[in-house]
Amino acid sequence: MKNEEHFIEQVKVIYRSLLWFCIVCFGLGFLILLIHFNPDLIKEEPTITAIEEEVSSDITETIRDSIHADTGLIKADGLTEVINNCTNCHSAKIIIQNRMTRENWLMSIRWMQETQNLWDLGENENIILDYLATHYAPKEKGRRENLIVEEWYVLEKGQ
Amino acid sequence: MNRRDFMSKTTLGALTVAVGAPVVYGHLMPNGYKPLALQDPDPFSLFKKDKEMKVLNDRPWNIEARAHLLNDKITPNHSMFIRNNGLLPENIDIKQWTLTIDGESVTEQKTYTLDELKTRFKHHTYQLTLECAGNGRKEFNPPAKGNQWGLGAVHCCEWTGIRLRDVLDEVGINDAAVYIGYHAADIHLSRDPGKEPISRGVPMAKAYQEETLLAFQMNGEDIPMAHGYPLRLIAGGWPASASGKWINRISVRNQVHDGTKMTGKAYRVPCKPVAPGSEVKDEDMCIIESMPVKSLITYPRSGAILKSGQQLNINGHAWAGELEVSKMEYSIDFGATWKACDLEKPVNRLAWQHFSASVSFPEVGYYEVWARATDSKGRSQPMLLPGWNPKGYLNNACHRIAVKVS
C-alpha cells in the first residue's frame, strides 16, 4: 500500500515536471517565432539622435528603416536641417509629395522666402538642397503611366 | 493656459530633445515658429470624411476623394475634397460675422451682418461643379510643384445663398470696375496676421452671373467648417480657388485683383504652349478662367473581375467649366473605337451631368474602360496628358478603370 502510494506520488511528480517542461518549451518556441517575424521587438526603441550616425551609410537598405517615423522624410544627411527649417509652417507631407531638380527646389525656397515669410537659411541652404535634390529628385514617368489597381475584386452580376 | 500656449512653450525645448541637437540657426527663426510636426487630430472624424479619402497634407489640410466615392449625383460632405491654403479660421462667431464690400470701384464701402445678407436678398439654390485647378497634377512629367492631386479634387454640391450681383448692385459700383477679389478669415501658415493665405477673385462678368453666389448653405445645411462656414463665394465651373471660403470682405477692383495667389505662377498657365519642363516667365503666364471638359467613371471602382459574358454597367459624371457636355463616350480598346453613353442634361447651368452605359466585352482578358466627354464647342478630353505647364494645372486627360474578364 505504502509502496503503491509512493509510486503514485512519483508518477505525479514526473507528470508535473513533464507538463512544466512542455509549457516552457511551447512558450519558448512561441517567443522565438514571434521574434522571428517581428524582429523589432528586441531592438531598442530607435531614438532620433541615432539618425545622424546611422543614416550616412546606406539609405536604400530597406524603405521602412530609412524613413523618419514622425515626419515620413527619408533619413539621410540633412534631415535635421530640413526638419528644423521646413516643417514649421506646413507638415513634411508637402515635401514628400514633390519631386524636383536642385534648381527647382532652390526656386521653391526663393518663392517661399519672397512671398511666404521663409527666413534666410544661411549655410543650411546647401545642406537642405543637397538632401532634397538627392532624395526627392524627379523620375521619368512618360506621358501616361500604366494603371495601378489597388485591389482586384469580383463584381457579382446585377451589382 | 490654452493648448497652443502650452505647446509653444514646450515645443522648442522638446524639439531640441527630440532632434538631439540644438536648433541651428534658431536665431534666424522668428518668434512663434515651432518646428516639429505636432500630432494633429484625426481628419476623418474632425471633418466627417469617408475613411477612404486620401490625405495629401495635414498642415494645411489637403484631402481628396477617390473616383468611386463621388458616385452620388450631389456630392455629400463626406466625399468632398478639401484644399486649404492656410490654417482654419479660429473662434468663428456668426453673430459678429460681417461682410464688407469695399475697393476702388464701389460708390461707398458697406458692411453687412450675416443676418442682413440672409434677410435682405432673395435666396437661390444651384448645383455647382467646383474642381481644383491642380486636380490631376500628379500625372505631369516632369513633375509639377504642389500637392500631388490624383483625380478626386472635384465635387458638385447644392449651394444655397444670395446672388453676389444683388449685393453689388445695392452697394453701387462704378464703370471702372474690372474684378472682384475676396478676403477671408483663414490664417497664413506662418501665423503672420499681415499675410493672407489666399485672396483670389473673378472678373466682373463672372461676378455678375446668376449662379455666382454668396452661399451660406451646402446640401441644405450650414456649410461645413472645412468648406467655408459661415460664408463662401461660389463661382461654379472655374478653378475652385476662385470660390473663396470663410469670406468677410469683397473688394471691387479697378484692375485685375492682385491678391495672394492671383499673381506669379499661381493658378496661371503659359499664355502660349510650352515644351515640357520649360522655364516660363511670370509675365508670360495667364490666369485660368473656365475649367476644361472632363469626366469621371464613378462606378464601378477600378479592379472589377467579371465572368465571361457578364455585362458591366458603368456610370459617372461629366462637366465642362462654363460650357455644357454635349457628348459622352467610352472605349474598351484604348481609344481605337468609341461607343456612346447615355448623358443627362445638367440640372442647372454649371452642374455636372450624369452618364451611364452598359458595356460588354468580346472575350476574356484585361481591359481598360476609358471615358471621354466632349463639350458644346466640340472639344474633347485628350487621352494623353494635355499641355505641360509649370504648376501642373488643367489635366483633363480621359479617366480609365481596369477590368478583368475571366
Side-chain angles (χ1 to χ4, degrees):
Chain A
M1 204 60 199
K2 214 159 199 181
N3 250 351
E4 208 177 341
E5 255 173 41
H6 184 67
F7 178 70
I8 290 175
E9 205 44 52
Q10 270 183 329
V11 167
K12 275 189 182 161
V13 168
I14 292 172
Y15 171 73
R16 268 190 226 117
S17 317
L18 262 174
L19 198 69
W20 277 113
F21 182 70
C22 284
I23 292 174
V24 169
C25 279
F26 194 82
L28 267 175
F30 183 74
L31 254 174
I32 288 170
L33 274 178
L34 199 71
I35 289 167
H36 178 76
F37 289 115
N38 245 327
D40 283 357
L41 284 178
I42 46 164
K43 273 198 201 138
E44 259 181 63
E45 206 37 40
T47 56
I48 303 180
T49 10
I51 292 164
E52 277 148 307
E53 299 106 45
E54 180 185 306
V55 164
S56 40
S57 53
D58 183 13
I59 53 123
T60 52
E61 28 183 25
T62 76
I63 292 292
R64 208 173 116 252
D65 287 342
S66 62
I67 298 290
H68 175 237
D70 283 350
T71 57
L73 288 162
I74 291 171
K75 288 187 199 169
D77 283 346
L79 174 66
T80 309
E81 288 77 4
V82 170
I83 293 177
N84 284 352
N85 291 285
C86 306
T87 61
N88 323 63
C89 297
H90 42 66
S91 80
K93 287 195 165 70
I94 189 70
I95 300 170
I96 296 162
Q97 287 184 62
N98 278 283
R99 296 287 179 278
M100 292 182 228
T101 57
R102 190 186 171 92
E103 272 175 313
N104 284 343
W105 278 113
L106 180 61
M107 266 168 54
S108 289
I109 288 174
R110 290 286 174 271
W111 170 75
M112 284 181 279
Q113 285 169 332
E114 279 156 28
T115 62
Q116 308 295 334
N117 284 353
L118 174 59
W119 45 86
D120 179 2
L121 296 169
E123 51 195 61
N124 284 335
E125 184 169 288
N126 262 321
I127 302 175
I128 291 171
L129 280 172
D130 285 345
Y131 172 91
L132 293 170
T134 310
H135 305 292
Y136 297 94
K139 67 168 195 273
E140 185 58 40
K141 51 185 171 184
R143 195 99 199 183
R144 203 92 210 248
E145 288 182 298
N146 277 342
L147 275 182
I148 297 166
V149 177
E150 284 172 21
E151 188 195 355
W152 287 100
Y153 64 97
V154 174
L155 184 70
E156 299 295 344
K157 228 180 171 150
Q159 247 181 327
Chain B
M1 183 157 72
N2 67 29
R3 185 167 155 260
R4 180 159 295 104
D5 280 349
F6 174 74
M7 294 202 294
S8 58
K9 289 197 182 90
T10 51
T11 315
L12 259 185
L15 180 80
T16 309
V17 175
V19 180
V23 178
V24 192
Y25 283 97
H27 63 285
L28 290 180
M29 228 183 259
N31 279 340
Y33 281 89
K34 294 156 296 209
L36 188 68
L38 293 158
Q39 209 51 56
D40 276 301
D42 168 27
F44 305 103
S45 51
L46 185 66
F47 302 125
K48 301 197 173 68
K49 293 293 171 194
D50 192 291
K51 284 268 189 266
E52 284 191 84
M53 297 283 284
K54 203 163 140 198
V55 178
L56 300 182
N57 198 355
D58 47 12
R59 189 170 186 234
W61 290 111
N62 282 276
I63 301 177
E64 73 170 320
R66 296 170 198 266
H68 68 277
L69 297 177
L70 293 169
N71 197 38
D72 300 85
K73 292 197 166 179
I74 298 175
T75 314
N77 171 57
H78 62 76
S79 297
M80 289 172 72
F81 77 94
I82 300 178
R83 195 290 187 244
N84 284 351
N85 291 262
L87 306 173
L88 289 166
E90 289 163 357
N91 312 320
I92 291 178
D93 176 0
I94 58 161
K95 296 230 165 57
Q96 303 295 318
W97 194 277
T98 56
L99 176 75
T100 300
I101 311 288
D102 66 4
E104 302 95 349
S105 293
V106 293
T107 325
E108 202 182 348
Q109 170 175 330
K110 200 162 174 182
T111 298
Y112 295 94
T113 65
L114 264 186
D115 251 8
E116 283 170 334
L117 291 176
K118 289 183 191 176
T119 50
R120 292 171 72 108
F121 302 97
K122 191 165 181 275
H123 294 190
H124 300 271
T125 299
Y126 299 105
Q127 291 175 23
L128 298 164
T129 312
L130 295 184
E131 182 180 14
C132 175
N135 196 19
R137 171 176 296 139
K138 184 180 159 180
E139 286 192 285
F140 279 101
N141 179 38
K145 274 185 228 186
N147 285 292
Q148 298 297 300
W149 301 101
L151 41 73
V154 60
H155 52 63
C156 184
C157 299
E158 189 177 74
W159 297 93
T160 301
I162 55 179
R163 286 185 176 141
L164 175 60
R165 72 176 187 196
D166 290 349
V167 181
L168 295 181
D169 279 344
E170 186 179 272
V171 173
I173 61 171
N174 63 37
D175 290 345
V178 170
Y179 229 87
I180 61 114
Y182 66 75
H183 303 275
D186 50 348
I187 299 162
H188 191 264
L189 290 176
S190 67
R191 289 203 162 268
D192 177 349
K195 276 202 165 294
E196 299 184 276
I198 186 163
S199 167
R200 304 197 68 244
V202 294
M204 291 322 288
K206 181 68 179 167
Y208 264 76
Q209 279 184 1
E210 281 180 11
E211 301 84 3
T212 300
L213 299 180
L214 289 167
F216 33 77
Q217 282 206 319
M218 188 195 93
N219 298 346
E221 288 172 17
D222 281 349
I223 301 174
M225 181 63 203
H227 299 291
Y229 177 82
L231 195 62
R232 181 167 186 179
L233 176 66
I234 304 286
W238 285 43
S241 56
S243 296
K245 304 193 268 192
W246 316 288
I247 57 167
N248 51 25
R249 187 156 67 92
I250 287 182
S251 304
V252 184
R253 309 294 312 271
N254 62 3
Q255 60 168 78
V256 174
H257 182 54
D258 54 359
T260 307
K261 303 210 172 170
M262 280 303 298
T263 56
K265 295 194 170 47
Y267 301 103
R268 288 172 181 246
V269 289
C271 306
K272 303 271 184 304
V274 300
S278 302
E279 173 122 24
V280 186
K281 290 201 208 78
D282 284 358
E283 62 263 34
D284 295 330
M285 300 284 284
C286 286
I287 299 174
I288 300 168
E289 299 198 331
S290 171
M291 292 294 288
V293 62
K294 199 165 170 180
S295 59
L296 264 187
I297 302 168
T298 55
Y299 181 87
R301 71 193 288 175
S302 190
I305 301 173
L306 310 178
K307 291 215 174 58
S308 179
Q310 188 180 338
Q311 290 266 318
L312 177 68
N313 295 320
I314 60 165
N315 58 263
H317 318 289
W319 60 97
E322 281 289 325
L323 304 176
E324 216 177 282
V325 177
S326 54
K327 187 166 65 172
M328 189 68 217
E329 296 160 297
Y330 74 88
S331 173
I332 57 165
D333 52 15
F334 307 95
T337 60
W338 292 92
K339 291 202 168 76
C341 300
D342 288 331
L343 177 67
E344 291 177 25
K345 281 271 174 199
V347 170
N348 51 254
R349 221 175 69 79
L350 313 179
W352 67 17
Q353 295 164 244
H354 316 296
F355 69 83
S356 58
S358 186
V359 184
S360 40
F361 300 90
E363 53 191 325
V364 297
Y366 171 84
Y367 292 89
E368 290 178 9
V369 182
W370 289 60
R372 181 173 75 174
T374 302
D375 71 23
S376 48
K377 289 198 172 149
R379 292 169 67 94
S380 302
Q381 292 181 255
M383 289 184 62
L384 297 178
L385 277 260
W388 183 91
N389 60 89
K391 288 284 288 169
Y393 297 122
L394 307 184
N395 175 8
N396 66 336
C398 291
H399 180 220
R400 56 213 164 121
I401 58 168
V403 174
K404 260 189 212 166
V405 181
S406 56

